[in-house]
């Protein structure tokens, strides 16, 4: 085993545009670059910060697109610039994770790496680190580990992990099957049974074990990534990356590797309860950030500003995002999302916040890409 076996290599996936958080989140400035954490830190910065007791900045890698590489480097000044792995085009999570695994494996084949989304909120950093360390023990033993979140409600927007018995003396459990987003009734049954965890899309494994499983299930993707990794850091890097990357299958790591690996008994999970939230829409953001006594949440509001940016009267349960410098005033309304940016204003009921994506789709159909 390598000397670095107990040190985690952190991989942060910074892709996607977060269309359910439009018009705040745009293709040119997606949600992970925004301070939606209740502090001045962006979601990306908060993701990297919570790894600080598990690893060092030189062992943190961010996989992102060409358009966001410079912004990522600006936000993460402690991380070496060469640790920003730039994908020429989006190929979904499997190619992104595989590229990072192959680059890390060149440095240390048996390194334990963790893969994390850049846009999740986690409130209990210490418990998160404890769960990661437990997952690292399972990874050391050769399992592909996933972090399972203890469900707090029947949630139809998340995938689920069907858990089997303990691995050895625990606390890791075998994952028998990955389940897709269920209906409410099915989700209710999952939660009541106690055998299911939310799939948070966070993974911990040895780089060599993951790459071997990738080769078993996705030989084309594995071969392509091997070619790219062989050229990494050489004069041929950009040429090989540009030639091979577009040929890689566009598929998520769950479909490409984890579902098949679970069927073969190679996946474990560690249950966690560390205040995890996938900030998918404005309603969810309103639930996780601090509200005033009337239930109103103002996102990124500078309370020290000389001029108020938000004025609310007889308003309840609003989520307000002031982003234009103008005053946003609301009176006699409730349960709304109000987002004000320099070129677009969104107003919708909180219970329809998931549907904001359809407005972005409509703008695409109209050819109004300047707003996206």
């Amino acid at each position: 085993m390598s000397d670095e076996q107990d040190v985690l290599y952190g991989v942060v996936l910074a892709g996607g545009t977060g269309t359910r958080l439009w018009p705040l989140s745009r293709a040119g400035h997606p949600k992970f670059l925004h301070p939606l954490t209740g502090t001045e830190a962006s979601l990306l910065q908060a993701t990297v910060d919570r790894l600080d007791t598990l690893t060092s900045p030189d062992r943190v890698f961010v996989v992102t697109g060409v358009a966001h590489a410079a912004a990522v480097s600006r936000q993460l000044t402690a991380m070496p610039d060469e640790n920003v792995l730039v994908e020429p085009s989006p190929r979904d999570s499997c190619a992104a994770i595989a590229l990072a695994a192959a680059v890390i494996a060149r440095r240390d084949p048996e390194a334990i790496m963790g893969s994390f989304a850049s846009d999740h909120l986690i409130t209990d950093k210490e418990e998160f680190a404890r769960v990661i360390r437990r997952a690292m023990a399972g990874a050391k033993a050769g399992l592909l580990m996933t972090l399972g979140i203890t469900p707090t409600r029947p949630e139809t927007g998340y995938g689920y992990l069907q858990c089997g018995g303990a691995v050895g003396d625990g606390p890791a459990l075998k994952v028998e099957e990955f389940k897709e987003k269920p209906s409410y009734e099915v989700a209710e049954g999952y939660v009541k049974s106690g055998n299911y965890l939310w799939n948070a899309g966070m993974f911990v494994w040895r780089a060599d074990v993951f790459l071997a499983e990738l080769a078993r299930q996705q030989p084309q993707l594995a071969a392509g990534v091997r070619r790219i990794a062989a050229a990494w850091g050489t004069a041929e890097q950009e040429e090989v990356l540009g030639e091979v990357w577009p040929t890689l299958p566009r598929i998520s790591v769950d479909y490409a590797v984890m579902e098949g690996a679970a069927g073969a008994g190679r996946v474990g999970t560690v249950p966690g309860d560390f205040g995890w939230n996938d900030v998918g829409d404005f309603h969810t953001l309103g639930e996780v950030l601090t509200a005033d006594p009337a239930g109103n949440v103002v996102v990124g509001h500078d309370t020290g500003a000389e001029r108020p940016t938000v004025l609310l009267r007889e308003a309840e349960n609003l989520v307000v995002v002031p982003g234009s410098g103008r005053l946003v005033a609301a009176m006699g309304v409730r349960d709304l999302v109000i987002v004000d940016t320099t070129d677009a204003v969104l107003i919708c009921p909180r219970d329809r916040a998931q549907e904001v994506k359809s407005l972005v789709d409509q703008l695409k159909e109209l050819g109004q890409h300047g707003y996206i």
Side-chain angles (χ1 to χ4, degrees):
M1 282 290 170
S2 96
D3 294 336
E4 299 185 350
Q5 192 61 44
D6 290 320
V7 177
L8 184 77
Y9 283 74
V11 175
V12 178
L13 305 182
T17 55
T19 50
R20 289 185 180 87
L21 287 173
W22 181 88
L24 182 67
S25 184
R26 306 286 183 101
H29 199 67
K31 66 175 176 176
F32 59 81
L33 294 172
H34 287 275
L36 304 179
T37 59
T39 72
E40 289 184 4
S42 70
L43 287 168
L44 172 67
Q45 289 168 324
T47 303
V48 172
D49 287 348
R50 76 176 69 102
L51 300 175
D52 65 2
T53 61
L54 296 159
T55 189
S56 53
D58 66 307
R59 289 193 177 98
V60 176
F61 294 80
V62 177
V63 187
T64 193
V66 178
H68 309 128
V72 166
S73 290
R74 277 197 301 272
Q75 288 202 359
L76 303 175
T77 52
M79 191 184 76
D81 282 348
E82 61 266 25
N83 285 18
V84 179
L85 309 183
V86 183
E87 46 182 6
S89 60
R91 307 306 294 167
D92 217 320
S93 61
C94 193
I97 292 171
L99 173 62
V103 169
I104 290 166
R106 291 188 65 197
R107 178 166 164 177
D108 180 6
E110 297 177 339
I112 294 177
M113 60 177 276
S115 170
F116 309 99
S118 59
D119 56 359
H120 291 175
L121 270 179
I122 287 171
T123 56
D124 191 340
K125 180 180 166 181
E126 287 74 23
E127 180 60 20
F128 171 77
R130 276 193 289 274
V131 172
I132 293 291
R133 288 194 182 95
R134 291 175 193 145
M136 287 171 71
K140 216 186 263 196
L143 285 172
L144 299 174
M145 299 295 294
T146 178
L147 268 60
I149 307 296
T150 307
T152 55
R153 62 187 184 279
E155 173 60 64
T156 59
Y158 298 152
Y160 286 74
L161 307 170
Q162 183 182 351
C163 300
V167 178
D169 298 328
L173 304 170
K174 272 284 172 81
V175 173
E176 294 182 352
E177 196 176 345
F178 279 65
K179 298 286 191 180
E180 293 307 305
K181 295 173 182 178
S183 66
Y184 186 86
E185 292 72 21
V186 171
E188 206 169 27
Y190 285 173
V191 175
K192 283 179 181 172
S193 77
N195 294 330
Y196 292 81
L197 300 171
W198 285 337
N199 174 22
M202 293 184 276
F203 306 103
V204 179
W205 48 54
R206 269 177 34 198
D208 57 350
V209 172
F210 171 74
L211 291 169
E213 186 65 14
L214 182 72
R216 181 178 81 87
Q217 293 194 58
Q218 303 288 333
Q220 182 197 342
L221 205 159
V225 167
R226 271 198 304 274
R227 275 191 64 199
I228 293 169
W232 204 261
T234 73
E236 285 78 46
Q237 175 181 318
E238 292 307 314
E239 185 185 341
V240 174
L241 184 64
E243 179 192 334
V244 177
W245 191 261
T247 71
L248 301 181
R250 189 168 186 162
I251 187 170
S252 77
V253 75
D254 295 83
Y255 286 129
V257 175
M258 298 305 285
E259 289 185 0
R266 297 173 182 174
V267 178
T269 188
V270 179
D273 185 7
F274 37 74
W276 172 82
N277 210 295
D278 174 6
V279 187
D281 58 54
F282 288 112
H283 172 68
T284 309
L285 196 59
E287 287 186 320
V288 297
L289 298 182
T290 305
D292 70 13
N296 300 309
V297 171
V298 178
V299 180
H301 183 33
D302 181 10
T303 51
E306 288 182 22
R307 296 172 63 208
T309 52
V310 177
L311 180 63
L312 304 179
R313 185 172 178 183
E314 296 168 21
E316 295 177 36
N317 299 323
L318 303 185
V319 177
V320 184
V321 186
S324 68
R326 286 183 297 234
L327 172 68
V328 177
M331 181 173 70
V333 291
R334 57 179 301 157
D335 304 317
L336 292 179
V337 170
I338 303 172
V339 184
D340 182 35
T341 70
T342 51
D343 64 344
V345 177
L346 168 73
I347 301 169
C348 75
R350 279 187 66 160
D351 63 6
R352 296 188 66 179
Q354 277 275 324
E355 298 173 49
V356 168
K357 182 179 184 293
S358 65
L359 293 174
V360 178
D361 293 339
Q362 193 173 347
L363 285 168
K364 286 177 184 172
E365 288 170 17
L366 295 168
Q368 298 294 318
H369 295 281
Y371 289 111
I372 302 170

